[in-house]
Amino acid sequence: MSDSADGSAYLDFLFVEGERLGWVFRDRHLYCHRFPEPYPVPGQVGDGVYFNAATASVDKWRRMRKWVSIGFGVMVVLLCLGIIGQGPTSDLGVIILLGLAVMIGGALLSWFNSRAAEDGPVRERERQSRLYEAECADWEERRAQFDAAERRRVDSYLEWGAALMPPTTRRVDIVGGSAWGWEALLTVMGTSMLRTTGAMTLVDFSGEPTCHELVWLARAASIDVTAIRLPDQVGETTLLSEADGQGLVDSLVEAMHGDAPAGRRADRAQDDRILSSVCRALGEDVTIPRIAAAVSVLLDEPGDFPELSEAEREHIGDALFSDEFRRQTHLNLRRIESHLRPLRDLFTATGRREDQHDLGKPGLTCLVYENTAHNVREELLKELVLQGLIQRLVSPEPFVGPLVIAGADDLNHRHIDRLSDMCIRRGVRLVVMFRHLRDSAVRAVGGDVVAFMRLSNHEESARAADFIGRQHTFRLSQLTRTLGGSQTHSQGNTLGFSDQISSGPGPRSVSVGRNWTHTRTVADSGNWNESQSEQRSYEYVVEPRTLQDLPDYALIEVTQGTGRLSVRSVECNPDIVSLPRVTTNPLPDLPLPHPSQAAVQPSGEPPRTLPGQSHPAYDESNWADQRYPEEWR
């Protein structure tokens, strides 16, 4: 069988060896590596360009004045040469035109050169921007190719792996959930158990059709299915029909006192003595209808009681107990008769019939309680069925396959513990499903594996979170960041001119002095300080609110006894087998990339979907909208 499911192999992927609760999701994209090349950084305009622009802005007018001076000087020189007859021309107009040409030409040349230097930073930024855009486009193309190659690589990775139960698991407790969730869980878990062990016994006390889907699929897979409706067909089973007299007495006493505290042993002992004496009087043929008839005889109830012979009626009514004992135990007899009367019509008056169905045999055996009413008769029958299971486990006949009890909220925790002990001794896997985490469930829950489904009540979710436990975590409590910077930019221009004329008795002297200074100062500074502090806290492993927000097909599996607490989120939707990248084995261990190299940061360890979130790859309504025949075929 391949590791990928398709529509034609739907049943094959449900009926696979390995007892599992569902599937665990692991996002394959967590194994994608991030593109290693850093994003391009835009180029910076050099300081020299800014310096040249600043210098040109300052020197622009000085250079223009210089060309004006040069033009005047040319005109003076040409005029002097013309006067002495050495110049190219003596025409004043031509000399003026030449001087103006030098002035205007030089000034314009100086102007355009200065403007070009001033616009240098803008042109450099535009050039850097064009270069940056080209580098970004090339980087995006390379990243797209890298990401496409990573997606092709991880597309072959499996995402849904089987949530197998540990091989040493002896008992599984399921708490919470809805009818849809239980139906899905029983389908996934039941099909794997039937394929692994070849047998499964399911006792459904929930009053809802939670096992119809499993029955339908088992029959589609050609598995022998025995479906018994309770309470009407309880007589068609071997429950209590093969128990000896003392075993039947124990079952009846424990069932009648199922809701009584353990300290009320006096009433239990009194009832045990009465029923034991009755069973001894009945001889080898001990059945519940005959016991009920015998108790009615002890109470002098009117009737023929065809279950008893004339000799048995006389012996029980006259010689079994003294009148004083019957008077003192009248309340006990009345209580016993009240419990046994509704059971007379449910069990056959004879011994075991050939058409009775035995429990713990190959195939799927379902005892389904279809009455949703809660009354004393129904509660008594549930306890009696549980006692029958205990007697079946006590018998020397082998019990094949796991035992699943759905809707065990009304059962006494002492009886559940007794059943659990017997299953452990016989090597039978026991699965107990509770709708609520209260009353007897609080005392009974605590097996090797406990799975919590949605708990709508806040008190129950808080109890479940306390059961899962707490752990120390380190949380970021304070973050401090400081950013500081300073920038100083200054420039100055000093232009000076001096003219000094000295006259005296000596020759005349003229001195001219000129000075020009340009100063530019740029200073940048920055500092960055980042600090964080962590505080140790003691928090829930799973928050109560998470348990309240779980979807119908999600559960949180808690496994103990393996040296450390294991908590994982499991999806039990049977329709998952129709998705791609599904395996019927656990997901293989794959090394995650380093966080600095990962394209997707995992939300936690190990990577998994968060409780309460459904994967977008499937829609739960696709499976929930399936319709199956109301009548079992």
Side-chain angles (χ1 to χ4, degrees):
M1 181 179 294
S2 64
D3 281 338
S4 294
D6 53 33
S8 61
Y10 192 85
L11 288 179
D12 292 340
F13 265 76
L14 286 176
F15 290 92
V16 175
E17 290 188 7
E19 298 176 337
R20 61 184 179 273
L21 293 176
W23 286 269
V24 177
F25 176 76
R26 184 176 64 188
D27 190 359
R28 69 183 188 279
H29 297 100
L30 294 175
Y31 297 91
C32 289
H33 288 77
R34 187 172 57 187
F35 187 50
E37 296 184 18
Y39 199 79
V41 179
Q44 301 294 329
V45 180
D47 292 340
V49 178
Y50 285 109
F51 182 81
N52 294 335
T55 304
S57 177
V58 173
D59 293 348
K60 177 172 58 178
W61 299 105
R62 181 183 61 80
R63 293 175 181 175
M64 292 177 64
R65 289 192 298 269
K66 184 182 74 172
W67 282 105
V68 171
S69 301
I70 293 175
F72 274 109
V74 170
M75 286 190 293
V76 172
V77 171
L78 291 178
L79 183 60
C80 294
L81 293 177
I83 294 174
I84 62 177
Q86 300 295 328
T89 179
S90 59
D91 190 353
L92 181 60
V94 175
I95 293 174
I96 293 175
L97 289 177
L98 289 176
L100 291 175
V102 173
M103 292 181 191
I104 296 173
L108 291 176
L109 179 63
S110 176
W111 173 269
F112 286 116
N113 289 339
S114 298
R115 290 295 303 170
E118 290 177 358
D119 296 339
V122 177
R123 293 195 305 273
E124 182 65 18
R125 280 195 296 269
E126 293 177 352
R127 188 185 72 84
Q128 294 289 352
S129 178
R130 291 191 298 271
L131 180 62
Y132 177 68
E133 291 177 356
E135 292 177 352
C136 289
D138 185 61
W139 185 90
E140 292 288 350
E141 182 179 358
R142 294 196 308 273
R143 188 187 67 170
Q145 296 175 356
F146 180 86
D147 292 344
E150 283 294 292
R151 286 193 297 269
R152 289 193 299 269
R153 180 179 65 86
V154 301
D155 278 345
S156 61
Y157 288 4
L158 297 169
E159 284 190 319
W160 293 96
L164 299 179
M165 288 180 282
T168 58
T169 301
R170 297 166 296 179
R171 175 177 165 182
V172 180
D173 293 326
I174 311 295
V175 182
S178 60
W180 288 112
W182 278 20
E183 183 179 17
L185 179 61
L186 287 176
T187 299
V188 174
M189 182 174 59
T191 52
S192 63
M193 287 180 172
L194 287 173
R195 181 63 179 87
T196 303
T197 63
M200 176 180 170
T201 302
L202 171 62
V203 182
D204 189 356
F205 289 144
S206 64
E208 299 176 2
T210 57
C211 64
H212 282 187
E213 191 173 68
L214 175 61
V215 171
W216 183 77
L217 291 175
R219 285 175 173 164
S222 302
I223 295 177
D224 185 20
V225 178
T226 301
I228 301 173
R229 294 182 177 89
L230 299 179
D232 297 336
Q233 298 177 346
V234 67
E236 299 181 9
T237 68
T238 58
L239 283 172
L240 304 175
S241 62
E242 292 185 343
D244 56 10
Q246 188 58 47
L248 189 57
V249 169
D250 294 340
S251 299
L252 290 172
V253 172
E254 293 300 325
M256 289 187 296
H257 294 271
D259 60 341
R264 295 180 58 181
R265 294 192 180 96
D267 291 337
R268 295 167 58 195
Q270 193 72 20
D271 293 347
D272 182 85
R273 181 191 173 188
I274 294 173
L275 292 176
S276 298
S277 299
V278 170
C279 290
R280 285 193 297 269
L282 295 177
E284 298 295 333
D285 188 9
V286 180
T287 62
I288 290 180
R290 284 170 56 80
I291 295 175
V295 175
S296 298
V297 170
L298 287 173
L299 289 170
D300 295 330
E301 292 287 334
D304 295 335
F305 305 111
E307 298 89 354
L308 303 177
S309 64
E310 184 66 27
E312 289 175 335
R313 288 198 297 271
E314 292 180 358
H315 174 69
I316 293 173
D318 298 335
L320 186 59
F321 297 114
S322 64
D323 293 340
E324 180 64 20
F325 181 84
R326 292 169 62 179
R327 185 183 64 81
Q328 293 181 358
T329 60
H330 180 78
L331 294 179
N332 297 76
L333 291 172
R334 181 60 64 187
R335 182 177 62 249
I336 295 174
E337 191 272 340
S338 300
H339 283 94
L340 295 181
R341 179 176 288 275
L343 301 178
R344 291 181 62 182
D345 298 334
L346 298 178
F347 291 89
T348 59
T350 59
R352 175 176 178 176
R353 305 198 314 258
E354 293 182 358
D355 61 344
Q356 284 183 318
H357 302 286
D358 192 8
L359 304 181
K361 295 299 182 182
L364 175 61
T365 303
C366 295
L367 279 69
V368 181
Y369 196 87
E370 293 187 337
N371 190 354
T372 58
H374 291 279
N375 51 55
V376 64
R377 293 187 302 274
E378 315 304 342
E379 293 176 0
L380 175 64
L381 183 61
K382 292 180 181 179
E383 290 286 352
L384 194 59
V385 170
L386 182 63
Q387 296 301 322
L389 292 172
I390 295 176
Q391 294 299 324
R392 176 61 180 84
L393 291 168
V394 173
S395 66
E397 291 293 328
F399 195 100
V400 183
L403 173 61
V404 180
I405 300 179
D409 297 77
D410 296 333
L411 302 178
N412 190 282
H413 70 92
R414 295 186 293 106
H415 300 161
I416 296 177
D417 291 340
R418 173 63 175 165
L419 179 65
S420 178
D421 293 340
M422 295 307 304
C423 289
I424 292 175
R425 293 180 184 178
R426 298 297 298 272
V428 177
R429 175 73 57 78
L430 176 63
V431 180
V432 186
M433 304 178 69
F434 300 93
R435 182 60 57 84
H436 302 282
L437 186 58
R438 59 193 180 201
D439 300 333
S440 62
V442 177
R443 300 183 180 182
V445 167
D448 298 332
V449 176
V450 180
F452 292 97
M453 304 185 77
R454 183 170 59 192
L455 293 167
S456 56
N457 186 275
H458 67 283
E459 293 183 357
E460 296 180 22
S461 61
R463 293 193 193 106
D466 288 332
F467 174 85
I468 297 173
R470 300 169 183 254
Q471 65 180 2
H472 283 101
T473 59
F474 287 91
R475 293 249 175 172
L476 183 65
S477 61
Q478 185 178 3
L479 179 65
T480 303
R481 292 182 179 179
T482 302
L483 175 64
S486 62
Q487 181 177 1
T488 302
H489 175 77
S490 62
Q491 62 182 11
N493 184 31
T494 302
L495 179 64
F497 182 84
S498 63
D499 188 4
Q500 183 178 0
I501 300 176
S502 301
S503 60
R508 182 182 181 185
S509 63
V510 177
S511 63
V512 178
R514 181 174 181 272
N515 61 77
W516 176 85
T517 304
H518 175 75
T519 304
R520 180 175 183 269
T521 303
V522 178
D524 293 306
S525 65
N527 58 80
W528 177 271
N529 182 24
E530 179 179 356
S531 63
Q532 67 182 28
S533 60
E534 293 181 346
Q535 183 176 1
R536 192 183 190 209
S537 60
Y538 196 52
E539 297 180 338
Y540 285 117
V541 176
V542 178
E543 291 295 329
R545 188 65 194 178
T546 302
L547 296 168
Q548 293 181 259
D549 295 336
L550 286 176
D552 286 336
Y553 300 139
L555 57 92
I556 296 177
E557 177 195 341
V558 182
T559 303
Q560 302 177 358
T562 58
R564 64 182 182 87
L565 181 68
S566 174
V567 181
R568 60 178 176 178
S569 178
V570 179
E571 294 279 351
C572 62
N573 190 345
D575 199 36
I576 290 178
V577 297
S578 63
L579 298 177
R581 290 179 285 275
V582 179
T583 178
T584 56
N585 298 316
L587 289 172
D589 293 331
L590 297 174
L592 285 170
H594 191 271
S596 62
Q597 301 174 353
V600 179
Q601 295 296 331
S603 58
E605 289 293 333
R608 59 175 182 259
T609 54
L610 294 177
Q613 294 182 348
S614 299
H615 192 257
Y618 71 91
D619 186 5
E620 295 177 350
S621 61
N622 294 338
W623 185 260
D625 289 339
Q626 300 267 353
R627 292 294 182 267
Y628 301 100
E630 295 182 0
E631 297 294 332
W632 295 357
R633 304 178 218 172

